[in-house]
Amino acid sequence: MRKATFVAMFFALVISATAQTGIASFRLGDNTGEDWEPAILADGLHIYALWPHYLATTYVDSSGATCMPFKGAGKHSTSSYMYFQSSSDGGKTWGPVTIPRCPVQGNDVDAQLALGANHRIYAGYMDGNSQYTPIEVFYSDDYGVTWSQPVDITNAGRGDKDILLVDKNNNVMVAYENGGKQHVSVSTNGGASFTSKQVNVAPSGVALATGGILDTQGNAYFAWAGTTNNGTGPTTFYIQRSNNLFSTFSVYTVDKGEGGPQVTGAGWDFWGGSIQMAVQPKTPPANDRVVVVYNAGAGSTGAPERIYTKYSDTLGASWNIPFSSTSWPNGTQLSLAPTGVWHGFPSIAGTSSIMKVIWMDNRASPGGNYTCLSSSTTGECGTWNVYERSSADGATNWSAEDVMIQAMPYKDYQTAAGFDHPDGDYTEMVNDGAGNFFGIWGEAESKAGSGDVYFAKF
């Protein structure tokens, strides 16, 4: 674990001179490390990032409170805090790290950000020291300077893996899972209170919410990855759609993939299938196009997974490549990496004129030893990079691949060739509506090692 170093309270991210070609990436945070699984949000020139930080901190939160101790005694102790950082110039420079609100119950994980009306920023995350915890949602009306009191959207019901959506009327929707049951919690008063409803997306096993979007026609969508055997069984990808705040809804099966490797001590499958969505707005009466990207395995459990995509012009009711219960996965592959390369952690965002996708793979040094899933030894999972492709319609003529350049100066888990391990099991992408796309992800030494959060504009 690296020692903290002094960082100025305001810093600028500057592109370093390098012979590499690709998309420049930049390190966020306060340079103390132990950051992972970040969320990102764009509101014009305002860009926001939120992530859990696994180190003791001297920061007070936006209310001036000193947070509970790091790994202290008793149930109200924590090993993580949510860090927030923002830019007001489209990601050119970033302000200091802050803590929006101290943990209420314990560890803060699974960061979420969403934009409401009148530039209101909503944030959500799990908060507690157990598998199922309160899921807190709160908001800021002054660009992240001060924040409202956190509200438990589960009403003491507890949950896991929250996905946050907010519509133009500040109706708040949160999808989460508890004990194999899927729920959506809704607020119609801007996040002051919530009502939760079981939504029964998957017929068996556990389905985790992994993505959420709104289209321009009043529909809200959540994406779910349903699996068994601690996440290593086959994964079925579902899309859930509603136009009435999930009072009623429809569920559609998109595809299916084999699970990841079964490794003793790894816990929930780090490489398990995940699905993300984006919409490409169309001129009425045409439906918006829904485009999904997901990682799935083919052939046998534990085989390297790859990146697939499909699209729907029927609000998710049908897909350009129909689901087959006997031949899956059957989406269009996006990665150009050779056979045997490990893939994961895709995300997607789009406008009316272009769709962009990012994912991670280890083609720079493929394969490795799957015991890296439970190991703190660096380099066992190969060498990773973040790759990007785009398409005008999200369906055809995908561009050549581009790669995110490693931020400099390098950390001990980085070289010009890439980084040692994904830090967290997802990436995120957004766009600002003006043609600019923003991605965020984590890089680390190993699953158990130190890491940092990285940002790119492209």
Side-chain angles (χ1 to χ4, degrees):
M1 190 174 296
R2 291 179 293 278
K3 294 181 180 178
T5 57
F6 177 78
V7 178
M9 288 302 289
F10 188 91
F11 65 91
L13 298 174
V14 181
I15 299 177
S16 300
T18 174
Q20 291 178 281
T21 59
I23 299 169
S25 68
F26 306 99
R27 189 176 297 117
L28 298 182
D30 59 7
N31 209 38
T32 59
E34 298 295 349
D35 301 327
W36 82 331
E37 291 191 343
I40 192 167
L41 178 66
D43 177 20
L45 290 175
H46 292 274
I47 314 298
Y48 306 103
L50 181 73
W51 67 88
H53 174 75
Y54 285 84
L55 275 178
T57 182
T58 59
Y59 301 142
V60 297
D61 76 3
S62 65
S63 72
T66 299
C67 298
M68 64 181 70
F70 182 80
K71 295 184 178 178
K75 71 174 184 178
H76 289 296
S77 63
T78 190
S79 64
S80 64
Y81 309 84
M82 277 295 166
Y83 270 9
F84 177 83
Q85 198 166 6
S86 65
S87 169
S88 61
D89 56 10
K92 294 178 182 178
T93 61
W94 290 75
V97 166
T98 63
I99 296 177
R101 280 288 185 171
C102 291
V104 178
Q105 299 290 333
N107 304 334
D108 286 350
V109 295
D110 286 359
Q112 288 283 288
L113 288 171
L115 185 65
N118 300 317
H119 305 285
R120 175 175 284 186
I121 313 164
Y122 284 87
Y125 50 76
M126 294 176 62
D127 183 343
N129 299 322
S130 59
Q131 177 182 358
Y132 297 111
T133 74
I135 296 173
E136 310 289 352
V137 167
F138 54 100
Y139 59 84
S140 173
D141 287 325
D142 54 13
Y143 301 98
V145 177
T146 61
W147 296 82
S148 67
Q149 186 72 24
V151 175
D152 178 10
I153 63 95
T154 74
N155 296 313
R158 307 300 187 253
D160 183 23
K161 193 59 177 142
D162 53 303
I163 296 292
L164 175 66
L165 283 178
V166 183
D167 69 16
K168 62 183 180 181
N169 297 313
N170 281 338
N171 294 311
V172 186
M173 295 156 274
V174 186
Y176 64 97
E177 182 271 339
N178 186 318
K181 298 179 176 65
Q182 299 86 53
H183 302 260
V184 174
S185 192
V186 175
S187 172
T188 57
N189 55 14
S193 62
F194 287 81
T195 300
S196 185
K197 175 183 179 179
Q198 187 174 327
V199 295
N200 300 322
V201 172
S204 62
V206 173
L208 298 180
T210 58
I213 54 170
L214 300 164
D215 69 16
T216 63
Q217 299 162 357
N219 296 291
Y221 303 78
F222 284 118
W224 301 82
T227 189
T228 58
N229 196 24
N230 205 33
T232 62
T235 300
T236 304
F237 303 104
Y238 304 98
I239 297 295
Q240 178 189 23
R241 185 195 80 219
S242 176
N243 62 4
N244 57 11
L245 301 178
F246 294 92
S247 294
T248 59
F249 56 87
S250 299
V251 178
Y252 308 106
T253 302
V254 178
D255 208 346
K256 189 174 181 178
E258 289 287 359
Q262 300 182 37
V263 179
T264 301
W268 187 269
D269 178 31
F270 191 74
W271 308 115
S274 177
I275 179 170
Q276 296 270 345
M277 304 174 289
V279 295
Q280 183 164 52
K282 300 293 184 181
T283 302
N287 293 322
D288 289 349
R289 172 166 288 180
V290 180
V291 185
V292 297
V293 61
Y294 53 100
N295 58 293
S300 63
T301 299
E305 296 194 338
R306 296 189 70 88
I307 306 300
Y308 297 87
T309 185
K310 290 186 179 183
Y311 67 88
S312 171
D313 291 330
T314 59
L315 309 180
S318 61
W319 296 83
N320 66 309
I321 305 173
F323 169 66
S324 170
S325 61
T326 58
S327 179
W328 42 260
N330 66 359
T332 300
Q333 289 200 41
L334 281 182
S335 172
L336 302 179
T339 301
V341 170
W342 299 359
H343 291 76
F345 324 119
S347 57
I348 184 169
T351 67
S352 60
S353 60
I354 193 166
M355 307 293 291
K356 294 192 176 186
V357 172
I358 62 172
W359 71 88
M360 294 185 186
D361 71 49
N362 69 353
R363 73 182 73 177
S365 178
N369 186 342
Y370 273 123
T371 59
C372 69
L373 292 171
S374 56
S375 171
S376 59
T377 302
T378 61
E380 289 188 343
C381 280
T383 300
W384 292 78
N385 283 283
V386 179
Y387 295 88
E388 181 267 342
R389 293 188 80 181
S390 61
S391 166
D393 59 6
T396 58
N397 298 321
W398 287 91
S399 69
E401 292 175 332
D402 213 341
V403 65
M404 306 296 176
I405 300 170
Q406 291 296 289
M408 298 180 71
Y410 297 145
K411 295 281 187 155
D412 55 10
Y413 51 81
Q414 295 173 308
T415 67
F419 56 93
D420 286 331
H421 201 282
D423 206 19
D425 55 4
Y426 54 83
T427 63
E428 281 199 6
M429 278 181 67
V430 293
N431 70 83
D432 62 4
N436 299 302
F437 286 74
F438 307 89
I440 199 165
W441 64 91
E443 301 179 8
E445 300 167 333
S446 65
K447 184 182 179 184
S450 183
D452 298 272
V453 165
Y454 293 84
F455 157 85
K457 178 180 179 179
F458 48 96

